[in-house]
Amino acid sequence: LDVRLELLCLAAKVMIVPGGGGGEGGGSDAVSRVLERCERAVRDSLCADNCLAVLLQLKPCAADVPELVDAAHAVVAENVAAVLKQPEWLQFARLNSDSGH
């Protein structure tokens, strides 16, 4: 899951950088496919046990993958009792209070 999240953030960043994947070679299509596949794989593997870790890892590129962030937040909302017991909860709560979310 970690590698997929890193690749997802990298692909998202490449998609928004000017000249970061366009051109005649179809590079942007390839990056778009990687982004879509990674996003789908991460979404399919979301569960109460990993949703906080996913949100923490997506923090740097959250604006680029809002649907995935929303899906992870939905898993948190559906599993509040289990999520509150996770060691990542304090880090997640601290980051969200600092950013105003």
Side-chain angles (χ1 to χ4, degrees):
L1 187 60
D2 290 341
V3 171
R4 287 179 285 192
L5 286 166
E6 290 174 21
L7 189 55
L8 175 73
C9 285
L10 177 63
K13 293 298 180 195
V14 168
M15 289 296 293
I16 62 169
V17 171
E24 292 297 316
S28 64
D29 289 342
V31 174
S32 291
R33 285 192 303 270
V34 168
L35 181 62
E36 289 171 14
R37 289 179 63 197
C38 288
E39 191 169 348
R40 188 176 333 112
V42 171
R43 186 185 324 265
D44 290 348
S45 66
L46 275 175
C47 65
D49 293 333
N50 68 13
C51 58
L52 286 179
V54 167
L55 285 168
L56 288 168
Q57 283 193 266
L58 286 178
K59 190 76 171 167
C61 65
D64 303 319
V65 288
E67 297 87 9
L68 185 55
V69 171
D70 289 345
H73 278 286
V75 173
V76 169
E78 292 170 4
N79 299 283
V80 172
V83 169
L84 289 175
K85 295 177 185 175
Q86 294 180 16
E88 294 93 351
W89 175 250
L90 288 176
Q91 182 182 3
F92 176 76
R94 193 174 323 118
L95 280 173
N96 281 318
S97 67
D98 291 345
S99 67
H101 290 109

